[in-house]
Amino acid sequence: MRGGARRKQDLMDFREQLEPILRALRSSAPPRWQDVAVRLAAAEPDDVVVQTLGELVEQLEQQQEELSWHRAELSQTNAGLLALHSELDQERRHNAFLDDVSRASATSLDSTEMCAALVQLLRARGVADAITMWTLEDGNLQAIGDEDAEPAQSTRRALATGEAAGVDTARLSVPLTAGPRSLGVLDFHRVDGIFGESDLATSSSVAVRVAVGLRNINDYKREHELAERLQRAMLPRLMVPDELDVVARYRSATSGVQVGGDWFDAVTRPDGSAVLTVGDVTGHGLDAAVVMGRLQNALNAYALEGHRPALSLQLVHDLLRSWDIRSYATAVVVEVDVAENVMRWASAGHPPPLLDDPHGGVRYLEGENASMLGVPFHQEVPEHEVELSPRSSVVLYSDGLIERRTEDIDTGLARLAAAYEAARTRSPQKRAEHLLSTLLNGEAHEDDVCLLICQLLETSD
């Protein structure tokens, strides 16, 4: 009896130890392990079996712990990878944003246009609700787009110290510096909320790129002004007889900073006739300016010697070929005989003169032209002659007035003729201004522009 109770107790202990294994095997084990579970359920307890099963239970529990540990490690690894991916994606978007700022800062060589592009970008990205760019003009801060604005205290402090001012406030002022040069201040404004340390890092990165763009604009403006002053200093005074009303205009290219090769000239011979010239040397820069000055002086000298237009161009062509340089030029020379009311003209690769005859209308003087001056072969320059009526006008110009990259030259010539027709009853001065405003239209132009209008006055006997 006592032995039966002992066996019964062993069986109960065996069942108790076996039950977790049976549940595991029934729920997730492969089919062959499920068969083992069935057999174990029907087996009698035995010391060896119980011992073996105990070891199996321990191994399964250990494997379960290791599996739980690996799952935890995998979960942490996945979380780390997600965090790293998020950080890298955030860094990528931040760098892409700064690249956009750099492009906006290099959009234009005009500070107002650059500021507008920058403000649009920063507001779209939620950096600030309003942005003001201050530039340093003669030691004073000037707000771009608002000449009457006064800088705030934080703006002045940022300029004076060279450090950002306004952290933890709704207005953050960041200095614009390029090397040792202070160029201005960039102000950020928020309607709701304040600027923190992370905003300071972003705004400082933005300011560095904006300062580079602003420095380039300032350098361009300074060099362009110097180049234009040099160009204008090389333009001549108009010397014409009283019977003529001559007006000349020059506009430097709005892109680039080098001196151009366009020129005009007007001289009066001892016999009373006038010689008018408009020319254009290929290229830009100091070399083109030097060639321009030498050709202008040469044509002036040949004209005063009494040479007619064709011969003057012929002599200049031979002279240019003899120089040890690779430069070419176009030019048109017009001789107005005020005593005979006759005009003679010759052209070397230059756009045709525009004649305004009160009795014959407005038309281009078409005729055979020579090639450009300086081409490597001898050439004869044709000459043409036309009678002038009192109040007649002739218009000479350089190709920068009519040529556009997206159009052929005939379109430009037609536009010039139409613009002149609309203003032909005005004075030569007003005609010149009308032509420049209409054809250039305030837009950027890559080439210099020369314009000369000569009108034969009506004289009384």
Side-chain angles (χ1 to χ4, degrees), residues 12-30:
M12 292 176 63
D13 293 341
F14 171 74
R15 294 294 184 188
E16 184 178 352
Q17 296 182 39
L18 185 63
E19 187 59 33
I21 301 174
L22 295 178
R23 286 199 303 268
L25 292 175
R26 292 191 193 102
S27 63
S28 60

Side-chain angles (χ1 to χ4, degrees), residues 83 98 106 168 178 182 198-199 244 279 297 420 431 433:
L98 293 180
D168 296 331
S182 296
S198 61
D199 298 311
L244 298 178
N297 290 335
Y420 186 88
R431 268 179 271 172
E433 295 303 325

